[in-house]
Amino acid sequence: MGSFDVPLDDERTQLDAFVEEGRSALEATLKGLTEEQARRRLVSSATTLLGLLKHVTWMQRVWFEECVGGTSRRELGLVQSADESFRLTDDDTVASVTAAHQEACATTRAVAADLSLDTVVTGHRTGPRTLRWVYLQVLRELAHHCGHADILREQLLTAD
């Protein structure tokens, strides 16, 4: 269900639809690419299409599993900083990073499923906030990185 399917639905349904669209859009930027293309650096930073999906996976785990769920990054086995979350290992592939993203999405859905948007969550190191705020932050990040991914994909497809 996409965002245009829920214009009159309740706020939670709308937020979920927008988040799901962002998740799917980011994954779609890797469709049909080779492993080399997905890892190729086209900008001066370490940003790559595969690295973006790996970062977005980390970001969602931080906001939902750490902030909402109350489990620390260390306990979750997550790197500590956003910059580190973009770094690819030799074992990272389109399939493995996509699978990790899908698993994280399933977990985040479960973590938030029974909570109201007004629930105050306290697991983030910068302090309490509402679940609504977490959703808005995740949406902001997804939109930001989907834009990056669209441009990188366009560069890849016009360069090859």
Side-chain angles (χ1 to χ4, degrees):
M1 176 181 337
S3 59
F4 281 93
D5 297 321
V6 296
L8 301 176
D9 287 55
D10 63 279
E11 182 182 18
R12 179 63 171 270
T13 301
Q14 291 175 346
L15 287 171
D16 283 333
F18 275 93
V19 167
E20 292 302 329
E21 274 186 348
R23 290 168 169 167
S24 296
L26 199 52
E27 282 187 20
T29 64
L30 292 168
K31 298 283 187 211
L33 299 182
T34 66
E35 294 294 331
E36 186 278 324
Q37 288 173 313
R39 291 173 159 275
R40 191 181 303 166
R41 283 180 151 183
L42 298 167
V43 294
S44 59
S45 71
T47 305
T48 64
L49 278 174
L50 193 59
L52 277 170
L53 187 59
K54 188 171 182 178
H55 165 71
V56 164
T57 301
W58 174 87
M59 175 272 298
Q60 292 179 93
R61 293 191 69 199
V62 165
W63 286 115
F64 284 100
E65 294 179 56
E66 180 183 42
C67 182
V68 177
T71 306
S72 73
R73 292 177 196 189
R74 187 168 325 282
E75 291 173 284
L76 293 168
L78 297 175
V79 296
Q80 294 301 303
S81 74
D83 286 344
E84 292 174 277
S85 71
F86 283 91
R87 294 190 190 128
L88 299 172
T89 68
D90 290 341
D91 293 333
D92 289 326
T93 65
V94 171
S96 70
V97 173
T98 300
H101 180 251
Q102 291 171 351
E103 182 180 325
C105 291
T107 300
T108 63
R109 286 183 207 104
V111 165
D114 295 329
L115 302 175
S116 110
L117 292 174
D118 294 322
T119 300
V120 175
V121 296
T122 59
H124 198 266
R125 55 187 161 190
T126 60
R129 60 210 63 232
T130 64
L131 180 61
R132 178 181 289 100
W133 189 97
V134 171
Y135 265 90
L136 293 171
Q137 171 64 13
V138 167
L139 278 171
R140 186 190 68 77
E141 288 254 1
L142 286 167
H144 184 77
H145 294 309
C146 281
H148 292 142
D150 285 343
I151 291 168
L152 290 176
R153 182 175 173 88
E154 180 180 338
Q155 288 180 309
L156 280 168
L157 296 178
T158 58
D160 288 341

